[in-house]
Amino acid sequence: MARILVVEDEDNIALALEFLLTRDGHAHSRLSTGNAALATIRKERPDLVLLDVMLPDISGYEIVELLRADPGLSGVRILLMTARGSLVEKRRGLALGADGFIAKPFEPSELRAEMTRLLT
């Protein structure tokens, strides 16, 4: 299965994601800050990053921009997640280079479908 990095600062959401990923057989780890995520992505190069937009230090949008500017990391798949799921937010995330966008709260089946699309 895939190596997935969860970058989410809200414990309840992160626990739900970790439960789903474990049940589906994915190797995963979780971080709650953007700066830690950048360092981990550079070091571990996960197959997919589930990235919250609103983090305590830097935004998910900034992380996407930094990753896409680095040729060595431009292939890392990123699924942005946010409670602000407006069309404007979605367009912004995709324009910056995110591979997918999902609004919270989401159904597990919706998340699985996006993950499958991004991992195949």
Side-chain angles (χ1 to χ4, degrees):
M1 287 306 213
R3 292 174 299 120
I4 299 174
L5 177 62
V6 176
V7 185
E8 173 62 63
D9 62 326
E10 293 201 29
D11 289 337
N12 292 338
I13 295 169
L15 289 171
L17 289 169
E18 289 176 332
F19 175 80
L20 181 73
L21 295 172
T22 298
R23 198 169 90 198
D24 288 353
H26 296 292
H28 60 85
S29 57
R30 181 236 175 158
L31 298 168
S32 59
T33 66
N35 286 321
L38 283 169
T40 299
I41 292 166
R42 286 186 175 110
K43 181 180 175 187
E44 297 180 8
R45 310 217 183 220
D47 299 313
L48 176 64
V49 179
L50 302 181
L51 179 60
D52 186 18
V53 170
M54 295 181 283
L55 295 167
D57 51 357
I58 64 173
S59 77
Y61 294 130
E62 291 173 280
I63 293 169
V64 171
E65 285 182 296
L66 291 167
L67 292 176
R68 294 307 181 236
D70 183 335
L73 299 172
S74 63
V76 174
R77 298 283 183 189
I78 303 168
L79 177 59
L80 281 175
M81 308 177 297
T82 184
R84 299 183 315 196
S86 72
L87 185 56
V88 171
E89 295 289 327
K90 181 177 183 177
R91 285 183 180 156
R92 179 179 178 197
L94 296 175
L96 290 172
D99 300 292
F101 186 95
I102 193 166
K104 297 182 217 174
F106 45 79
E107 293 294 323
S109 60
E110 182 184 7
L111 177 63
R112 280 191 182 105
E114 270 298 282
M115 289 175 49
T116 299
R117 180 181 74 78
L118 295 175
L119 291 168
T120 55

